[in-house]
Amino acid sequence: MVAVNEVGGSIDDTVQRAQSGDVDAFESLYRVHAPAVYALCRRMIGDEVRARELMQDVFVRAWERLTTFRGQSSLGTWLHRLAVNVVLAHLRTSKRDALRLIETDDAQIAGRSAHAQLDARMDLESALLKLPVGARTVLVLYDVHGYSHDEIAQMTGIAAGTARAQLWRARRALTRLLSP
Amino acid sequence: MIADGTLAPDRTTVVDAHLRACGECASDVARLRTLVSTLRGAPLPAAAVDAEWPAIRARIDQAKMITIADAGASEMAAPRASVFRQYGWLGGIAAAAILTWVALPRLTTRHDDAASSARRDSVRVLSAASDSARLYEEEAQQLLNQLELRRSMLRPEAAASLDHDLRVIDSAIAEVKDAIARDPYNPTLRQMLALSYRHKLDALRRVGNAG
């Protein structure tokens, strides 16, 4: 059963039951969406254990905020948006990562030692992690998860033009890291 | 856009013509196409998501227990945040109604209208202050997240200056919060907290607008 709400979105029965406090219904939603949310956290963070912890945080927060979901986007998009916010908040509070985000730029990527570049070529995942967080976020959302620039703009709060610029920047840097 | 096939058809024709004549650009595009294809074809990292559910369920249940325990522990408690989260605006109204329904008879039986009025005002003030702080913090977090996405595009000195300003403001917020914890009904402290939050939002918006 699908209900149409006051803003024109539709919310299916399982989501409605979860919104009314049914944890079993929420578990069903978790089993459908957890793999994609985990993949997003893992690609943005790199570390498997940390990614699992963040995925837990995303779903605990999703449970707390589920009543704010109005069906204007799909639940998957809503969860991805939440996941992006959780991951960015985590990166911000992590001193080590925060420093790297401030310091990393294209020149540094290009100027890495041959040894570091070789390592990066060997592993797409580690190459992704060498990108600045803004560029990495847009690249993961666009190229890996298939969101459009407009959707990314909506999820992250940046302009669609900024998302395009970040994608171009990320691809250029990644090509350098992965090229022989 | 040519690399991922999202370029408009009329422009694709023009670009294709150039690529046929320019080996360097053709090579660049070929590399990009390989990259895009690799990214789109790469398997998503998999996790045993079933194994994570018990921990999530435990955290959800724990939050419920804490909410109930807190609500029972203090009749002066403001409406719990989790109630708002659970039921949204409807929960807010319901919580306010329950608070009034529970608190009012107890207060009126004391035949002390002045005291009960003061007490209801205090609850209202604390509740409003708590909600305001939460809203400020949520908006600030949203702006901070947007800033992180743009950070690598900022001039290093602008980023360093902002970080310094934020550290000073956050320190001020923490100090005012400590003072409010010791003196929760002091209106001057609440005004100072609101002012500090507004400074933080202004600083973040300025950078956002400049970007």
Side-chain angles (χ1 to χ4, degrees):
Chain A
M1 181 182 158
V2 174
V4 176
N5 62 26
E6 72 277 10
V7 290
S10 61
I11 301 176
D12 76 19
D13 183 52
T14 310
V15 178
Q16 284 184 62
R17 283 192 288 121
Q19 285 180 320
S20 64
D22 183 340
V23 184
D24 292 336
F26 186 68
E27 183 181 355
S28 302
L29 298 174
Y30 167 81
R31 292 190 188 284
V32 170
H33 295 284
V37 169
Y38 171 76
L40 178 67
C41 294
R42 178 72 190 277
R43 281 262 159 79
M44 287 180 69
I45 290 291
D47 181 72
E48 183 193 339
V49 174
R50 182 70 66 201
R52 287 211 309 261
E53 289 170 357
L54 287 172
M55 181 185 72
Q56 286 187 21
D57 292 346
V58 170
F59 279 96
V60 170
R61 195 175 295 186
W63 167 258
E64 293 170 347
R65 296 188 175 185
L66 201 55
T67 51
T68 66
F69 174 67
R70 297 279 180 258
Q72 288 168 297
S73 60
S74 73
L75 185 68
T77 303
W78 185 81
L79 283 167
H80 269 188
R81 181 177 185 168
L82 197 59
V84 167
N85 281 323
V86 167
V87 171
L88 289 175
H90 165 75
L91 288 173
R92 186 171 171 76
T93 53
S94 160
K95 262 189 179 174
R96 184 173 55 91
D97 280 330
L99 283 172
R100 198 183 72 222
L101 300 181
I102 292 164
E103 290 166 0
T104 305
D105 60 20
D106 285 353
Q108 283 178 295
I109 292 168
R112 283 204 167 88
S113 69
H115 181 69
Q117 290 195 22
L118 183 66
D119 285 345
R121 281 200 296 276
M122 290 168 67
D123 187 351
L124 176 64
E125 303 297 331
S126 64
L128 276 174
L129 293 174
K130 288 176 168 56
L131 299 176
V133 70
R136 188 196 325 159
T137 301
V138 173
L139 183 127
V140 167
L141 290 174
Y142 187 93
D143 274 340
V144 179
H145 290 275
Y147 285 105
S148 70
H149 288 300
D150 287 338
E151 287 170 323
I152 292 169
Q154 193 189 7
M155 288 165 76
T156 59
I158 61 174
T162 306
R164 282 192 186 87
Q166 292 279 32
L167 179 67
W168 179 80
R169 187 179 152 78
R171 283 177 173 175
R172 189 181 61 170
L174 207 54
T175 307
R176 278 188 206 157
L177 284 165
L178 295 169
S179 59
Chain B
M1 292 172 88
I2 189 73
D4 59 26
T6 57
L7 193 65
D10 55 327
R11 296 181 69 186
T12 303
T13 311
V14 176
V15 175
D16 279 345
H18 173 73
L19 293 179
R20 280 194 292 275
C22 177
E24 194 177 344
C25 289
S27 164
D28 279 349
V29 170
R31 273 201 299 273
L32 273 176
R33 280 184 174 142
T34 304
L35 174 70
V36 171
S37 159
T38 303
L39 285 167
R40 291 183 178 171
L44 291 177
V49 293
D50 286 357
E52 302 302 320
W53 173 252
I56 294 170
R57 173 76 196 236
R59 286 173 65 181
I60 289 171
D61 289 343
Q62 190 182 25
K64 284 181 183 172
M65 286 166 63
I66 289 169
T67 302
I68 293 165
D70 284 358
S74 169
E75 65 179 60
M76 284 294 286
R80 302 295 305 160
S82 60
V83 173
F84 285 104
R85 288 196 294 265
Q86 282 274 72
Y87 302 106
W89 64 273
L90 190 62
I93 293 171
I98 290 167
L99 188 71
T100 307
W101 180 70
V102 170
L104 203 56
R106 295 184 187 186
L107 296 172
T108 50
T109 53
R110 291 175 189 168
H111 306 290
D112 186 346
D113 289 344
S116 65
S117 171
R119 191 164 192 159
R120 282 197 301 276
D121 285 349
S122 300
V123 170
R124 195 161 52 241
V125 165
L126 281 181
S127 172
S130 166
D131 283 350
S132 297
R134 185 172 54 81
L135 290 174
Y136 274 127
E137 281 167 4
E138 282 183 1
E139 186 172 353
Q141 188 57 58
Q142 198 69 29
L143 289 167
L144 283 166
N145 288 343
Q146 291 171 18
L147 172 69
E148 285 309 322
L149 292 169
R150 293 196 194 100
R151 183 182 281 278
S152 59
M153 292 178 151
L154 292 176
R155 283 180 293 113
E157 59 270 27
S161 169
L162 174 70
D163 287 336
H164 173 264
D165 290 350
L166 290 179
R167 275 196 298 275
V168 171
I169 296 170
D170 283 341
S171 166
I173 287 173
E175 282 183 25
V176 177
K177 276 182 168 177
D178 282 349
I180 288 175
R182 290 191 296 272
D183 185 5
Y185 303 110
N186 187 324
T188 307
L189 289 175
R190 287 199 303 275
Q191 284 167 6
M192 285 173 67
L193 183 62
L195 190 63
S196 303
Y197 275 125
R198 280 201 292 274
H199 279 312
K200 183 171 182 175
L201 294 180
D202 286 345
L204 288 166
R205 285 190 193 117
R206 269 199 303 278
V207 173
N209 292 337

